Amino acid sequence: MRTTTTRRLAAALAAAGLGLAACTAGGSGDQSDSGPKAEEAQTIEVWHGWSAPHEVKAFEDAVAGFRKIHPNITVKLVKNQTDERISNAIRGGNPPDVVSSFTADSVGQWCQSGAWQDLTPYIAKSKLDLNQFPKAVQEYTQYKGRRCAMPLLADAYGLYYNKALMKGEQPPRTMGQLTELAKKLTVRDKDGTIKVAGFMPSAQYYEHQAQHLATQFGVKWLTPDGHANYAKDPAFRAYLQWNKSLIDWYGYANVKRFLRSIGQEFEASNPFAKGRVAMAVDGEWRTKFMQEEAPKVDYGTAPAPVADDQQARYGGGFVIGTVIGVPRGAKHAQAAWEFVNYLTTNTGALVTFANALGNVPSTIPALSSPNLTLPPQFKTFLDVFKNPNSSTTPPTPNGNDYIVKFQQFVQEEWEPGKVGDLDGALKGLDGKVDSALKLAGG
């Protein structure tokens, strides 16, 4: 799905004030035996966020197998639903039976408030093996032991490189190698204007958000007790220093000029597709975009580079994904769980969905299915997704607020050179994040 990250960030911001409000209606206990039994004739309503015709059809095709197995359950699919609508329906006591969201960042809110039911009783009764999901996936679908979501397709990040611009160079494995190669491959006008960027380090460049690149330095976003960790973890300084050193080499004014010239991420004029960027970190969906919009570009993919002192972690990357669950107050909870269980664990359904949207299927068995028909460059992302060194950002009761604050710091203060005391700035950032977490009940 091309707009995965854009939708996820927008949904997370929209949901920021809704997760706690949603807990005002109903209880949050075990509802796994509520409503009619799964084998009874009934209709379940499923809300999801996909809206484009090919996306809606992909969801319908993935659900077709469930309808055959459970002919007694009529499935009504409702497209283009936002987190705001979902939260309002739960708060009002009239939710659908199944809800899906692009916003794994909001899992902490939903789990803590009880807006999405704890699925642990359902999982236990179904004897579902959670080890079919990679560790990082298991992490972003629960909060403090309360698993209120299941994964439904995923995103994995890796390095894209233009083979013609690389001129025989191999993709870098470390950030030091990436920096050296970026400088070697960059082409400028006499006035410093960037004609071809070997690699654009700015967090303002598409998927080069701090969330995705800082992960490659092995950052620990939160302390074990759930507090902000920016000042305490030296990996954040390592990321920031790498980011700023390459930006300064380009010249911040030249970086800003380049960023203003590149347009929207999913336009055909994307600079990677046009040969204006030699290397870029991006999600797996870019392979489908390149297949459709830039089929003549000869490119390769590889895991994203890691910090120079962490080469054993090479092969992993940032992962996140779409989530699905059963809201509190669902009238057909048992049938809803059967639907969620099928859609998130059935290899055929996941492969059908993944092929249509260009996303990573979210179980280990589906990753090796011979029925995957994605471009050859896609294999990198299948490998990254199941790599034990891959990681995600942990859920909190106020969503991705701590990530948003760090991104704003990098974008608005650090990159422009407004920070004189980095240690002090990071301590101040920790204080802001912790205050917000405390207010949200974290």
Side-chain angles (χ1 to χ4, degrees):
M1 179 175 53
R2 292 185 185 179
T3 52
T4 298
T5 299
T6 304
R7 285 174 172 172
R8 185 190 314 123
L9 290 174
L13 292 172
L18 294 170
L20 297 178
C23 70
T24 59
S28 57
D30 181 2
Q31 301 175 53
S32 60
D33 286 325
S34 64
K37 302 298 183 184
E39 59 270 18
E40 295 179 26
Q42 59 198 293
T43 297
I44 61 171
E45 189 165 304
V46 178
W47 286 12
H48 66 84
W50 286 280
S51 58
H54 78 281
E55 295 173 339
V56 174
K57 182 180 184 302
F59 203 101
E60 287 278 0
D61 291 345
V63 172
F66 177 83
R67 289 186 167 120
K68 290 181 181 179
I69 296 173
H70 299 276
N72 61 299
I73 301 175
T74 300
V75 181
K76 179 183 178 182
L77 300 178
V78 183
K79 65 180 181 180
N80 199 26
Q81 296 301 302
T82 65
D83 285 1
E84 183 176 4
R85 291 174 187 164
I86 290 170
S87 293
N88 285 338
I90 297 170
R91 184 171 57 235
N94 189 34
D97 298 293
V98 177
V99 288
S100 177
S101 172
F102 302 125
T103 321
D105 291 322
S106 294
V107 165
Q109 295 172 319
W110 296 322
C111 288
Q112 176 171 277
S113 68
W116 286 30
Q117 293 186 35
D118 186 354
L119 300 178
T120 303
Y122 300 96
I123 291 169
K125 290 174 184 177
S126 300
K127 295 182 172 57
L128 180 65
D129 182 10
L130 291 174
N131 288 324
Q132 64 187 291
F133 305 106
K135 182 181 177 182
V137 177
Q138 295 184 42
E139 291 176 357
Y140 69 68
T141 50
Q142 63 86 35
Y143 178 66
K144 291 187 175 180
R146 184 182 177 92
R147 185 170 304 283
C148 68
M150 291 284 284
L152 179 60
L153 299 190
D155 295 323
Y157 287 76
L159 184 74
Y160 286 72
Y161 57 94
N162 184 309
K163 292 183 178 180
L165 296 179
M166 292 285 279
K167 299 176 181 177
E169 298 280 358
Q170 294 301 303
R173 297 170 64 93
T174 68
M175 288 294 177
Q177 293 170 357
L178 174 66
T179 300
E180 182 180 350
L181 193 54
K183 293 177 179 180
K184 183 177 181 179
L185 300 180
T186 293
V187 179
R188 306 177 189 245
D189 285 333
K190 291 182 179 180
D191 64 356
T193 298
I194 304 167
K195 294 178 65 177
V196 176
F199 184 88
M200 178 48 59
S202 175
Q204 302 172 63
Y205 178 80
Y206 301 152
E207 300 299 329
H208 289 185
Q209 299 164 28
Q211 182 180 18
H212 304 153
L213 292 187
T215 296
Q216 298 308 106
F217 288 80
V219 298
K220 303 296 183 185
W221 293 93
L222 301 174
T223 62
D225 57 355
H227 290 105
N229 203 32
Y230 297 120
K232 304 177 190 71
D233 187 352
F236 285 105
R237 290 184 186 81
Y239 158 69
L240 291 168
Q241 289 163 353
W242 165 82
N243 161 278
K244 194 68 168 68
S245 67
L246 192 49
I247 284 179
D248 288 348
W249 182 82
Y250 279 115
Y252 184 69
N254 294 325
V255 168
K256 291 293 288 184
R257 189 181 303 122
F258 181 83
L259 294 173
R260 286 195 296 267
S261 74
I262 60 177
Q264 297 299 311
E265 180 176 0
F266 292 102
E267 292 179 345
S269 58
N270 182 289
F272 182 78
K274 290 298 181 182
R276 294 192 61 204
V277 169
M279 299 176 290
V281 170
D282 212 334
E284 81 291 335
W285 62 83
R286 182 66 56 189
T287 60
K288 199 168 186 67
F289 177 88
M290 296 296 290
Q291 191 177 47
E292 295 174 356
E293 304 291 345
K296 294 183 180 180
V297 175
D298 187 13
Y299 75 96
T301 60
V306 296
D308 289 51
D309 61 350
Q310 299 179 30
Q311 293 188 45
R313 292 182 55 250
Y314 181 74
F318 180 76
V319 299
I320 198 74
T322 302
V323 292
I324 189 169
V326 180
R328 186 189 52 247
K331 296 178 179 63
H332 307 89
Q334 294 186 55
W337 164 249
E338 292 300 326
F339 179 86
V340 170
N341 187 8
Y342 173 85
L343 203 60
T344 58
T345 64
N346 182 274
T347 297
L350 288 170
V351 168
T352 295
F353 213 8
N355 283 338
L357 298 186
N359 290 148
V360 175
S362 38
T363 66
I364 292 172
L367 295 174
S368 58
S369 171
N371 296 321
L372 285 171
T373 58
L374 296 157
Q377 295 92 339
F378 200 90
K379 184 179 184 301
T380 289
F381 303 97
L382 299 176
D383 292 339
V384 167
F385 183 67
K386 63 184 177 183
N387 190 292
N389 293 309
S390 289
S391 62
T392 190
T393 41
T396 75
N398 62 348
N400 68 346
D401 175 77
Y402 70 101
I403 300 167
V404 171
K405 282 182 168 59
F406 186 62
Q407 173 74 17
Q408 289 173 337
F409 168 74
V410 175
Q411 181 173 322
E412 299 172 8
E413 299 180 48
W414 178 250
E415 291 186 357
K418 298 179 182 179
V419 179
D421 176 11
L422 179 56
D423 288 345
L426 292 177
K427 288 178 182 177
L429 184 61
D430 281 348
K432 293 177 182 177
V433 170
D434 285 343
S435 293
L437 283 169
K438 185 177 180 180
L439 190 63

